[in-house]
Amino acid sequence: MNVIDILNREQRKEQLPGFRSGDTVKVYSKIVEGGKERVQMFEGVVTVHKGGGTSESITVRRVAHGVGVEKTFLVHSPRVEKIDVGKRGRVRRSRLYYLSDRIGKAARIKEKKTVRPTER
Amino acid sequence: MKNILGRKVGMTSVFTDDGRFVPVTVIEAGPCTVVERRTKEKHGYESVALGFGAIKKRRVTRALAGHFKKQGVEPSRFVREFRDDIDDVEVGQTVTVGSFVAGDRVDVIGISKGHGFAGGIKRHKFSGGGASHGSMIHRQPASNGDTNAGRTVRGSRRPGHYGTDRTTHQNLEIVRADVERNLLLVRGPVPGAKNALVVVRRSRKSANLPAAVEAS
């Protein structure tokens, strides 16, 4: 294995839950606020899951106070402490860009009844 | 001494301690031996020559072998001189990436990748002509200047051989120095192909900044 592969492997987290687009997740990330570090939770639907290796990232969408908010997290970043997977959504595409055009009931995602384990 | 020789391994991205995800070039640098110390009295200028890389005995030219023998050091494949940051450096001393810390500023010198005989667009960033609508000038250099001059202006930018030039990237940030594996992670790209020799030297620009001068 070459040096770059080793470096990349070191950056990666070994323990990560399997998740995919449409799933509802809680992302716990460290943020610095007023000189102090604390953990912030962001809950929403995974709309985009892209990249592989160290640069793997997810975009999480939630509607807060009537405003759609999307946040992108680098999954392997040391700033992202934990990712919890909640509901599994039944969706038919990998990138849910259409969600941003929908409001309210139209923006719902059906829940998967039987969940096949997502591979990591 | 923040100077070293190394081999360009390739590029990747790493997370820094402050949470940034930065593109880096991995350089396998050192350990280097100081193979010569040049002085003002004897040679007319001050410099330190570093040797890097193993070489078979029979591959060392007689001329170079003589140099190494005179200094009493093992022969090395590459030898380069440095003129910056060379106080208290002695022949035989070993230089590792341990002399670098994250946040240091360096210049990286390499031989850029060869592009062969390249046109004006690639070589001089010409904008080129239109692709369609009957434009008959696509990637040509178009006008070459005054027809009345009866000569070509010196230094005018034309297609020609591009690449394999000694290229310096200045003021690059050291993201990490891995002493155990002799690795230097430098932010951003570095000239040269993979496995090529690169010269890392203390940055000339930032070393002359008021803040850096005050600190030293």
Side-chain angles (χ1 to χ4, degrees), chain A:
Chain A
M1 205 161 51
N2 72 40
V3 179
I4 288 187
D5 288 339
I6 296 170
L7 276 176
N8 286 343
R9 185 157 294 194
E10 286 168 4
Q11 306 270 321
R12 248 171 272 157
K13 291 177 190 167
E14 280 161 24
Q15 297 291 322
L16 269 179
F19 47 75
R20 52 197 307 179
S21 305
D23 295 351
T24 306
V25 293
K26 286 180 182 170
V27 181
Y28 296 83
S29 63
K30 288 185 216 160
I31 58 163
V32 176
E33 203 176 48
K36 277 197 333 197
E37 200 177 65
R38 66 181 187 87
V39 175
Q40 189 187 55
M41 192 267 280
F42 190 86
E43 183 176 16
V45 178
V46 177
T47 55
V48 183
H49 180 200
K50 70 176 177 184
T54 329
S55 60
E56 181 182 346
S57 72
I58 55 171
T59 301
V60 182
R61 178 181 172 82
R62 65 171 270 176
V63 177
H65 307 292
V67 185
V69 179
E70 281 183 7
K71 248 182 147 172
T72 306
F73 298 95
L74 283 158
V75 171
H76 292 281
S77 166
R79 298 256 134 171
V80 173
E81 202 143 79
K82 191 172 68 162
I83 300 174
D84 281 344
V85 183
K87 273 186 271 180
R88 303 279 184 167
R90 198 189 81 88
V91 289
R92 299 176 69 159
R93 53 211 70 217
S94 67
R95 305 203 170 165
L96 313 178
Y97 296 124
Y98 66 86
L99 280 185
S100 53
D101 299 329
R102 300 194 181 177
I103 325 162
K105 281 190 172 180
R108 283 174 304 173
I109 288 176
K110 266 191 192 161
E111 198 177 343
K112 249 188 213 167
K113 292 282 144 53
T114 49
V115 179
R116 252 180 289 153
T118 333
E119 268 181 45
R120 246 283 125 201

Side-chain angles (χ1 to χ4, degrees), chain B residues 178-201:
Chain B
D178 189 331
V179 185
E180 271 158 46
R181 288 178 292 197
N182 290 316
L183 298 180
L184 266 188
L185 270 57
V186 176
R187 191 187 165 135
V190 148
K194 286 176 189 171
N195 297 323
L197 176 78
V198 287
V199 178
V200 181
R201 131 190 120 186

